[in-house]
């Protein structure tokens, strides 16, 4: 007879199947493309000059893979009524998820090292990922829906992030060392973080399973404040059209996270940098910290955009929970994000709903880009006032217009593509159709030149874009003039980005530019079809 843990593992793999490889594929896609483009410059990725790129890729990959494991595991509460002990459930979710995330991160870095001879360390990032996973489990297994959860999450990110960055000497300016050696303090820190996280997770799950509700002091304060607001304030909004109403709703409930996180990150970065510069009486430290951490904020934008895209899947699904791989109807626990029945019953067409969603995303990205531009502008003013040599941060052979084009593509177009295309691929195309090509691409990514994967991705997205454009024109969701304008914009973006690379790198530059251009304009045609599909299914 199989053990209960073996049965739970079988249920996990049987339920998710191909989805388990989707998130590692998405996490490795951008690092592979960027490293493939840089490999044409005959650089040594193992040198200390590339430690900033290494740190950004590790943090980005850790976040995407961690989110993927959490989403595929689902809620632990679905096992509350099963004849399982609380310890068995917590052990499976805590240790099983941590082992899977650590294995995927280790394989990702090993792939980078194998393809590009980067010789980047693996043990340090894996230890960091396990410590971060264990520290967040008490907040994620039993969600804390109060301000105390935000404060605790910020403290965890600050503590574990400080430990990770300090092991690379990143907080002293440019990175000086790769984390090749794990010390006894590192092991002690990870063991303490994992042990405390495991104990708190077990305690919180036991309370939640028994039906009792934990109320902290901040929870009581927040509840009293909300009760007072409900008694004395009534917020009414009047909109001139359903499109504007839905745009406001989508921004308030989903896309506002991007500028909010950007504002919090940049505020913390500037506060820390100014404090370090004043304490050490050296403006160079503050400038280098701001420049390095601004790039990390850009990676954080991509992660938040990915999360917003996943929230969209939960919010706009009409038949979520009614069908599960041909089985009988299964009742699912309602979620605050899963309100597709209500949204699709509103007197607004799928075309206008899609426009509202895209406009909300544009607002969000515009606000975050403005904050990033303000931060870089203040940094440039600081460097000008102190006569700081900018070539210590940027190589002399890189032109300003090249940096500007790549920066706009990275801060604007890539988050927009992530924010809207994740739901597009999930809603437009059947899961059995689009997941196997992603998995096949993952295998090719390990064994073959990355450019081949890029060409396959461009061909697939271009085919989907052409199909969606034809369907939208037939349904009159867009006018021919608007279609020509959007396609022309995508072509201009692709050409401008391709020209920002060196002429001898035109192959990989063309692939990256074409991928970003097609993914940027794809939601304008695929999102109306996706919403129409879920409204009528």
């Amino acid at each position: 007879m199989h053990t209960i843990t073996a049965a739970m593992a079988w249920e996990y793999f049987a339920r998710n199947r191909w989805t388990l490889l989707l998130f590692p594929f998405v996490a490795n896609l951008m690092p592979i493309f960027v490293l493939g483009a840089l490999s044409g410059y005959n650089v040594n990725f193992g040198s200390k000059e590339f430690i900033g790129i290494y740190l950004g890729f590790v943090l980005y990959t850790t976040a995407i893979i961690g989110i993927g494991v959490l989403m595929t595991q689902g809620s632990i509460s679905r096992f509350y009524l099963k004849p399982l002990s609380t310890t068995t459930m917590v052990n499976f979710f805590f240790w099983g998820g941590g082992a899977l995330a650590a294995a995927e991160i280790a394989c990702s870095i090993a792939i980078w090292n194998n393809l590009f001879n980067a010789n980047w360390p693996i043990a340090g990032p894996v230890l960091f990922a396990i410590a971060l996973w264990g520290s967040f489990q008490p907040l994620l297994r039993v969600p804390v829906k109060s301000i105390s959860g935000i404060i605790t999450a910020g403290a965890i990110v600050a503590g574990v992030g400080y430990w990770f960055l300090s092991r690379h000497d990143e907080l002293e300016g440019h990175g000086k060392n790769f984390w090749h050696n794990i010390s006894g303090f590192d092991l002690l820190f990870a063991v303490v973080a994992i042990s405390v996280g495991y104990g708190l997770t077990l305690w919180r799950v036991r309370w939640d399973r028994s039906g009792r509700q934990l109320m902290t002091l901040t929870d009581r304060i927040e509840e009293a404040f909300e009760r007072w607001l409900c008694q004395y304030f009534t917020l009414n909004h009047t909109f001139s059209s359903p499109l504007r109403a839905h745009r406001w709703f989508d921004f308030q409930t989903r896309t506002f996270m991007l500028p909010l996180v950007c504002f919090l990150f940049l505020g913390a970065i500037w506060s820390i940098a100014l404090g370090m510069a004043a304490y050490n009486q050296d403006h160079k430290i503050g400038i280098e910290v701001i420049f390095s951490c601004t790039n990390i904020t850009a990676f954080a934008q991509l992660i938040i955009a990915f999360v917003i895209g996943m929230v969209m899947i939960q919010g706009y699904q009409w038949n979520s929970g009614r069908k599960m791989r041909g089985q009988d109807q299964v009742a699912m626990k309602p979620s605050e994000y899963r309100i597709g029945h209500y949204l699709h019953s509103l007197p607004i067409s799928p075309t206008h709903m899609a426009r509202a969603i895209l406009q909300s995303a544009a607002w969000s990205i515009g606000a975050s880009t403005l904050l990033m531009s303000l931060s870089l502008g203040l940094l440039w003013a600081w460097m000008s006032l102190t006569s700081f040599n900018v070539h210590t941060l940027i190589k002399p052979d890189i032109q300003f217009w090249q940096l500007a084009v790549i920066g706009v593509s990275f801060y604007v177009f890539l988050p927009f593509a992530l924010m809207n295309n994740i739901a597009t691929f999930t809603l437009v195309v059947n899961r059995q159709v689009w997941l196997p090509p992603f998995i096949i691409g993952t295998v090719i990514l390990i064994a073959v030149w990355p450019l081949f994967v890029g060409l396959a991705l461009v061909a697939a997205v271009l085919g989907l874009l052409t199909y969606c454009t034809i369907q939208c024109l037939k349904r009159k969701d867009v006018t021919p003039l608007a279609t020509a304008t959007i396609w022309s914009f995508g072509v201009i973006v692709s050409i401008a980005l391709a020209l920002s690379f060196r002429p001898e790198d035109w192959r990989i530059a063309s692939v990256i530019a074409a991928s970003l251009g097609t993914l940027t304009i794809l939601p304008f045609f695929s999102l109306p079809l996706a919403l129409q599909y879920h409204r009528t299914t």
Side-chain angles (χ1 to χ4, degrees), residues 165-390:
L165 295 177
S166 63
R167 297 299 294 129
H168 300 82
D169 296 329
E170 183 67 19
L171 298 176
E172 299 179 2
H174 276 305
K176 298 179 181 179
N177 295 296
F178 283 97
W179 189 5
H180 287 288
N181 299 320
I182 297 179
S183 64
F185 173 79
D186 298 330
L187 292 175
L188 179 63
F189 183 91
V191 169
V192 171
I194 295 172
S195 301
V196 173
Y198 177 76
L200 291 177
T201 303
L202 188 61
W203 174 62
R204 287 182 56 81
V205 171
R206 282 177 176 171
W207 271 80
D208 189 57
R209 191 181 189 185
S210 64
R212 294 175 290 180
Q213 185 178 7
L214 286 171
M215 292 288 291
T216 62
L217 178 61
T218 55
D219 294 336
R220 294 187 175 91
I221 294 174
E222 185 176 3
E223 184 179 0
F225 182 69
E226 290 178 351
R227 189 182 302 112
W228 179 77
L229 287 178
C230 292
Q231 292 176 354
Y232 293 97
F233 292 94
T234 301
L235 299 177
N236 293 321
H237 297 275
T238 303
F239 302 96
S240 59
S241 65
L243 187 148
R244 294 186 177 182
H246 196 86
R247 180 180 61 195
W248 176 88
F249 168 78
D250 189 72
F251 182 82
Q252 293 288 327
T253 59
R254 194 174 63 94
T255 60
F256 82 99
M257 290 189 292
L258 188 64
L260 177 62
V261 171
C262 185
F263 175 77
L264 295 176
F265 268 55
L266 292 177
I269 288 168
W270 274 90
S271 300
I272 295 173
L274 292 175
M276 293 178 64
Y279 178 80
N280 295 279
Q281 296 183 354
D282 186 3
H283 62 84
K284 179 181 178 181
I285 295 178
I287 292 175
E288 291 180 345
V289 168
I290 292 175
F291 185 81
S292 301
C293 292
T294 300
N295 294 327
I296 296 177
T297 305
F299 281 99
Q301 280 188 278
L302 300 181
I303 298 171
I304 298 302
F306 181 83
V307 174
I308 292 174
M310 300 306 297
V311 170
M312 183 179 178
I313 296 176
Q314 296 291 327
Y316 289 91
Q317 282 184 341
W318 172 263
N319 59 348
S320 178
R322 292 188 296 172
K323 297 179 182 179
M324 292 185 64
R325 301 191 182 279
Q327 298 177 2
D328 295 333
Q329 295 183 2
V330 179
M332 296 183 66
K333 182 180 179 180
S335 170
E336 61 269 26
Y337 296 121
R338 191 171 291 134
I339 55 175
H341 291 289
Y342 172 72
L343 294 177
H344 287 291
S345 64
L346 294 175
I348 179 174
S349 66
T351 302
H352 288 164
M353 186 181 292
R355 292 177 184 175
I357 293 172
L358 294 175
Q359 291 176 10
S360 171
W363 279 12
S364 175
I365 294 174
S368 62
T369 303
L370 181 63
L371 292 172
M372 295 288 290
S373 302
L374 179 62
S375 176
L376 293 176
L378 293 174
L379 181 62
W380 177 82
W382 189 0
M383 291 188 295
S384 300
L385 293 174
T386 57
S387 300
F388 183 82
N389 185 12
V390 69

Side-chain angles (χ1 to χ4, degrees), residues 351 355 469-480 528-529:
T351 302
R355 292 177 184 175
T469 302
I470 295 174
Q471 293 299 317
C472 285
L473 288 174
K474 288 181 178 180
R475 290 162 33 87
K476 297 182 179 181
D477 290 331
V478 292
T479 63
L529 299 179

